[in-house]
Amino acid sequence: MDFSETLKQLRSQYLINDVDFSCERTRLEYIDMIKHAKPDYFITLTLAYNVNEHDAVKALNKCIWHVSKQIYGHSTDDKNNRLKVLPFIETTASNELHFHLLVNQPRNRRKKVDLKEIIKQKWKHIDIHGYATFDNDEWFKKVNNIDGIAKYITKQTYGNNRPLVVDCL
């Protein structure tokens, strides 16, 4: 069953209202986008204390820029020389923010890249980073089940909440 048929079936079967339908449509589009991107890694980055979304996104953008710069050098203005990442923001039950990133392994011919170590070091240099992220290796995982990860990452797509962080794309 294709994407549009799935939506039609959901709408007719559950008679969901336009807002719920729109949210589910957005969530399914995110899932489709994630599958199309074929990410290699699923990364979780936490924040040290309760920060607003604007500051959190600004910090993530800075981190992604520094990671790209270390991997690709000064040519990060070229889209081919940037870290390929789909960033999503999530709120915990205690109203704290954290990020889930879907990242492709950098294709860099000049050197072998230890992406896990580079991200860890760059995130630690961001003044609002969280320490819980690096307590174990769960923060950096190889993507094995893209369907499960896509559904997990998009679970907070509801109402006006759109978890994809477009500012960091």
Side-chain angles (χ1 to χ4, degrees):
M1 185 178 309
D2 76 350
F3 179 72
S4 62
E5 288 178 35
T6 302
L7 285 173
K8 286 177 188 174
Q9 185 179 24
L10 276 172
R11 191 166 198 180
S12 64
Q13 184 177 4
Y14 298 104
L15 298 173
I16 56 179
N17 64 41
D18 287 340
V19 173
D20 291 339
F21 179 74
S22 175
C23 290
E24 186 61 17
R25 189 169 127 217
T26 300
R27 192 178 78 77
L28 291 173
E29 287 171 353
Y30 285 160
I31 290 170
D32 191 51
M33 178 180 59
I34 289 166
K35 289 178 180 180
H36 185 263
K38 299 177 184 170
D40 297 303
Y41 301 107
F42 172 57
I43 300 168
T44 302
L45 298 174
T46 60
L47 300 159
Y49 49 87
N50 197 8
V51 298
N52 64 52
E53 188 170 329
H54 177 266
D55 290 342
V57 169
K58 189 174 168 182
L60 179 62
N61 213 5
K62 183 177 177 181
C63 179
I64 292 170
W65 185 84
H66 282 288
V67 170
S68 291
K69 187 174 178 186
Q70 180 165 344
I71 294 169
Y72 296 106
H74 293 289
S75 57
T76 57
D77 291 335
D78 179 358
K79 284 190 175 193
N80 294 322
N81 290 331
R82 279 192 237 155
L83 188 65
K84 306 290 189 261
V85 58
L86 287 176
F88 290 82
I89 193 166
E90 189 173 286
T91 306
T92 65
S94 58
N95 215 25
E96 294 179 359
L97 300 172
H98 64 275
F99 295 103
H100 292 300
L101 311 177
L102 294 170
V103 180
N104 292 91
Q105 176 65 40
R107 309 293 183 238
N108 187 327
R109 289 171 267 177
R110 292 180 293 158
K111 58 186 173 184
K112 184 161 170 58
V113 174
D114 185 351
L115 185 61
K116 182 178 180 180
E117 190 57 33
I118 293 170
I119 290 174
K120 183 177 183 177
Q121 291 307 313
K122 298 304 178 187
W123 189 245
K124 280 184 171 183
H125 283 92
I126 303 293
D127 56 350
I128 61 173
H129 72 83
Y131 295 99
T133 298
F134 307 119
D135 285 347
N136 58 50
D137 285 336
E138 291 296 305
W139 70 274
F140 191 98
K141 296 179 184 177
K142 182 94 174 122
V143 172
N144 293 318
N145 177 1
I146 192 66
D147 292 326
I149 287 173
K151 288 175 184 171
Y152 177 78
I153 279 183
T154 60
K155 70 184 177 288
Q156 288 191 359
T157 306
Y158 53 83
N160 289 329
N161 187 41
R162 300 291 187 265
L164 179 67
V165 184
V166 177
D167 295 349
C168 295
L169 292 176

